[in-house]
Amino acid sequence: MNITTYTPSENIHLIDTLHLGRDQVIGSYLLLGDAPILVDPGPTSTLATVEQGLASHGLGLGDLQALLLTHIHLDHAGATGTILARHPHIRVYVHERGAPHLINPEKLLGSATRLYGDLMDVLWGEFLPVPDQRVTVLRGGETLQIGGRMLDVRYGPGHASHHVVYIDQTSGAAFVGDNGGVRLPGSTYARPATPPPDIDLEAWDRTLTMIGELRPRLLCLTHFGPVFDPAEHLQSYRERLHRWAELVGSSIAQGEDDTVNLARLQELAVQELHDTPGEAERYEQATPLYQSWQGLNRYWQRRRA
Ligand SMILES: [Zn+2]
């Protein structure tokens, strides 16, 4: 199988990590140049596949100069400490709210274990701490120069309170992590990615507006691939996100119990599927529906409190 299946832009390549052997679920973006960069290396469980992707460009992990993390969820950032343990020269960029959990991951791993239980190791593999002297802490508003490449950083909460967006000045590519939802290649449908604990719809709206105002030429989604109609995507994603949130919120307002509430969201999600082979499985693997419901439910509970 050709691992690097997409070339969003010159010198930007998408490595398919083939998570659990399935394609088009989790991607990692390779930015080539005099100082190669990975945006979100993915989990440790797929690191060998990322290495094969790098090798197809004549590179190894040791050639990387920087890891840019959009946020620290395990499917995006899990391999960071493992890569650093092997190649301590690499610099890691992460938002200030995420950095402490990268350096001391106990709390992050505790909450992930509550979500994934016994599946932690199979899904993600090890999560090693990152040495603090290798971490550059971001707040949003910075411009990074890494080799000859210039990237603007914007704070982008909504999916996670420590999420940032990177915009490559040359290509106009915006690395939006999970802020643009989950959209499979060849489809225009974007499914909300709303896991606990941080979902904040008001912040997410502001983030989507901010991304649109940057007028990116393309959006680079982790799940999965480049999107070349940014304005349409941001608009339709915003609408769907609110549709999902309102369904969960109205269920709570009607006093329906969690089982009924979840079933209503499931019904909507099934209606929205287009029934292409593997589609339902990919969405479920990239963003399990039960977690999306939990995140939206928590959002409303917090608003009412
Ligand atoms: Zn995430």
Side-chain angles (χ1 to χ4, degrees):
M1 179 178 287
N2 179 10
I3 289 164
T4 307
T5 39
Y6 300 88
T7 302
S9 179
E10 198 186 349
N11 290 331
I12 300 179
H13 298 270
L14 172 59
I15 298 174
D16 190 331
T17 72
L18 302 177
H19 185 238
L20 303 180
R22 186 170 277 138
D23 65 352
Q24 301 182 358
V25 175
I26 301 174
S28 175
Y29 288 92
L30 169 63
L31 282 54
L32 293 175
D34 55 351
I37 299 166
L38 271 187
V39 180
D40 289 347
T44 305
S45 56
T46 59
L47 187 54
T49 318
V50 170
E51 289 186 84
Q52 289 173 41
L54 291 171
S56 71
H57 295 279
L59 299 173
L61 287 173
D63 294 310
L64 297 173
Q65 297 303 309
L67 299 177
L68 303 187
L69 305 181
T70 62
H71 63 305
I72 62 168
H73 289 166
L74 303 189
D75 52 332
H76 294 252
T80 307
T82 305
I83 296 171
L84 266 285
R86 295 189 211 164
H87 304 287
H89 70 276
I90 298 173
R91 184 144 284 285
V92 176
Y93 295 83
V94 65
H95 187 259
E96 60 180 350
R97 289 193 182 200
H101 303 291
L102 215 53
I103 295 161
N104 291 302
E106 289 80 13
K107 209 176 146 199
L108 173 70
L109 294 177
S111 63
T113 304
R114 281 193 292 282
L115 277 177
Y116 298 107
D118 294 345
L119 293 173
M120 278 288 282
D121 200 49
V122 174
L123 287 171
W124 315 123
E126 68 180 2
F127 190 107
L128 298 183
V130 177
D132 61 351
Q133 69 274 18
R134 300 313 303 155
V135 175
T136 295
V137 170
L138 304 170
R139 307 182 72 172
E142 298 87 348
T143 296
L144 310 177
Q145 177 167 13
I146 302 172
R149 200 178 276 276
M150 307 287 280
L151 295 128
D152 295 318
V153 183
R154 293 286 183 277
Y155 181 44
H159 171 84
S161 63
H162 62 276
H163 204 302
V164 294
V165 173
Y166 300 97
I167 304 95
D168 175 40
Q169 288 187 0
T170 307
S171 62
F175 299 91
V176 297
D178 284 348
N179 273 325
V182 177
R183 172 171 161 176
L184 299 177
S187 169
T188 57
Y189 169 67
R191 182 155 169 167
T194 60
D198 286 346
I199 298 309
D200 181 338
L201 283 181
E202 288 73 20
W204 208 329
D205 271 337
R206 289 192 291 276
T207 292
L208 293 172
T209 301
M210 176 274 291
I211 295 169
E213 285 172 356
L214 294 169
R215 300 203 174 279
R217 198 170 68 76
L218 66 155
L219 306 176
C220 291
L221 309 185
T222 300
H223 320 284
F224 180 92
V227 161
F228 293 98
D229 57 346
E232 293 79 1
H233 177 90
L234 292 168
Q235 176 63 25
S236 68
Y237 184 64
R238 185 196 299 261
E239 286 166 15
R240 191 168 311 279
L241 185 60
H242 281 269
R243 195 168 157 206
W244 278 40
E246 270 147 32
L247 184 93
V248 172
S250 76
S251 244
I252 294 170
Q254 287 164 38
E256 286 171 342
D257 69 20
D258 289 356
T259 321
V260 175
N261 193 341
L262 172 61
R264 287 185 64 194
L265 186 63
Q266 251 154 358
E267 198 182 320
L268 174 65
V270 168
Q271 276 169 19
E272 288 175 353
L273 284 177
H274 300 96
D275 215 19
T276 19
E279 189 188 39
E281 291 81 3
R282 286 191 179 86
Y283 284 126
E284 190 56 26
Q285 193 170 323
T287 178
L289 191 83
Y290 178 64
Q291 285 181 22
S292 282
W293 174 78
Q294 279 183 311
L296 291 170
N297 187 49
R298 185 180 160 101
Y299 162 77
W300 287 113
Q301 305 297 355
R302 276 164 65 184
R303 276 216 9 181
R304 298 174 113 210

